[in-house]
Amino acid sequence: MIKFEEVSKTYPGGHLALSKVNFHVAPGEMVFLTGHSGAGKSTLLKLISLMERPSVGRVYINGHDLSRITRRDVAYVRRDIGMIFQNHQLLMDKTVFDNVALPLVIEGYSRKQIYARVHAALDRVGLLHKQNNPPATLSGGEQQRVGIARAVVNRPPIILADEPTGNLDPALSLEIIRLFEAFNKAGASVFIATHDLGLIARMHYRTLTLKGGQMINDGLTETPGVQA
Amino acid sequence: MSLLFKSRQSGAQQHQIGLLQKLLMFFTSHFRQCIASFGEIIRTPLASVMTIAVLGLSITLPGTLYVLVKNLNNISADTQQAAEISVFLKQQASDADIQQLIKRIRTWPEIESLTFVSADDALEEFRRLSGFGDAVDYLDSNPLPNVLLVYPSDKFGTPATAKTLLDKLIQEREVESGKLDIEWLERLHAILAIANELVTMIALLLFIAVILIVGNTIRLNIFNKRSEILVMKLVGATDSFIQRPFLYTGFWYGFLGGIMAWITIAILLWWMSSNIEDILALYNQDFDLAGMSFSTLMSMLGISIFMGLAGSAISVSRYVSQIEPR
Ligand SMILES: Nc1ncnc2c1ncn2[C@@H]1O[C@H](COP(=O)(O)OP(=O)(O)O)[C@@H](O)[C@H]1O
Ligand SMILES: [Mg+2]
């Protein structure tokens, strides 16, 4: 589903953020990406969502070489990827409903379909009752769930999350991860970047570890999960 | 459309919908964005009003000048005196000859009307008005010729056509010579030509300035919505989708600016007309400020909308693509 081949990324200014990274995420897989702050996790996710381009090497999604995607077509690629960010990236002057509906409006869904799908997505994250509130009136955990609802509302085959639990306490973090598990069970490939090793330790998922831009570990976490 | 996943369907393809329905959806979506842009202008009137006012006033100035020049054109066209032709007849032409001549040329389409001033009448008038009445009495014979005053019809009232008419009149057997008093008419026409060009030039310069001003307003709008644009790009909005509301905003600026120009021009003309009529009454001139015709009003609105759209298009094409999530 997602494949990196000898990918390096040098930022303008000469900083080497990723160095010769290779890995493959299978369809329907749920994978964690970890490493200290500055290890290159965000950079790696940005190469998938085409917010950055690799300096060397190739990135494939579903067998398609992303280097062939033109600037014009980037938007269409992003419609296949649900993205979740640590700072939510919600529109504060719109309601929760409008935020979640945004991807569908962009794709030209009919009003009826938008209504049905937004309701379903908000129901999944348990926020249907807050659909008419502005995001600012919601707690941090709730705002993150709105971001998740927006990411999954058009049922993308790939979900990318960059530090989705960054500001949340452990209980709330686990709740968020459970949501991702549910979407993964429904068929999506899920790729979560986090530096919260304690969180990963409680799961049995494949974990890719970055250090200074290099992939130093690709495997299951050692410690058996402590289920909440 | 999904580029990477063949089997994946999206919004418009979800149902097997016909072309007509797709078109309908396209238009309703545009209509919705169009109305939404209008709503935004209404909700944040302060910034918009300034731009709309600039648009409106920039059309008001050349628009008002245009009306004034057009009215002057009308005066010069209406003024028959302008092209009054004095035709001096030969001394040896008899009264019968003269009656024949008048009968002949009266039917020419170039001629609106003509007046015969006999040599005796002319001398009598000279005696009365000049103050040299006694001197006239010492003359053996009347030195003045018989004169025909010819007024060309509307279509032949321009200096060029009046000149042609004069040449044609001189060809007549009974005519000695002719004189066309066109100097002031030619001057008026030259001034009007300059005025016309001046109005065009002022309009062009103003229009360029306005397009830049609208462009700048839209540029600020785009930067104010920077975070919204970033989020939209993150969830897969194309540049053209993001650009559309700004183009509609430009359209509305132009539309409202055009309406404002209509109103201000109407007020200005109403206000000026009483003054101008007072002055012209002294000159026995009738100056009826012709209101604007339907097509003039529509082209003013069209120009205004064009400027709004052009200014918006310039900014949108430059700045929307520059805002990229990082
Ligand atoms: N736009 C950028 N320009 C220059 N350097 C960058 C940029 N983004 C990230 N970096 C650098 O690349 C390295 C990796 O950053 P990042 O991918 O954000 O790491 P992580 O998400 O693991 O904390 C860091 O040293 C960071 O300073
Ligand atoms: Mg990061």
Side-chain angles (χ1 to χ4, degrees), chain A residues 36-43 45-46 86 162-163 193 195:
Chain A
H36 294 298
S37 182
K41 305 182 294 295
S42 299
T43 302
L45 293 188
K46 283 177 183 173
Q86 178 172 2
D162 193 356
E163 310 278 3
H195 64 267

Side-chain angles (χ1 to χ4, degrees), chain A residues 137-153:
Chain A
T137 62
L138 272 56
S139 72
E142 287 172 330
Q143 289 187 16
Q144 192 54 277
R145 275 144 63 196
V146 175
I148 292 171
R150 185 184 65 192
V152 301
V153 75

Side-chain angles (χ1 to χ4, degrees), chain A residues 46 51-52 62 64 71 73 75 78-80 83 89 94 106-109 111 113 117 150 154, chain B residues 2-5 8 10-11 14-15 25 32 228 231 233-239 241 321 324 326:
Chain A
K46 283 177 183 173
M51 288 156 75
E52 296 287 354
N62 198 30
H64 293 270
R71 218 196 140 265
D73 287 336
R78 291 198 183 135
R79 292 177 189 184
D80 291 330
M83 281 188 275
Q89 299 277 17
K94 300 248 156 72
I106 286 169
E107 280 196 66
Y109 281 76
R111 192 172 277 219
Q113 285 175 309
R117 288 200 173 204
R150 185 184 65 192
N154 66 344
Chain B
S2 173
L3 285 176
L4 307 178
F5 300 88
R8 202 173 168 244
S10 77
Q14 208 71 21
H15 305 294
M25 266 171 64
R32 241 186 261 164
E228 189 170 340
V231 170
K233 288 203 173 183
L234 284 175
V235 299
T238 57
D239 280 1
F241 181 87
S321 60
E324 277 294 338
R326 283 273 172 266

Side-chain angles (χ1 to χ4, degrees), chain B residues 115-132:
Chain B
T115 314
F116 175 64
V117 183
S118 72
D120 296 340
D121 289 348
L123 190 65
E124 193 50 43
E125 191 176 320
F126 181 78
R127 193 198 300 277
R128 227 172 350 98
L129 296 179
S130 67
F132 293 107

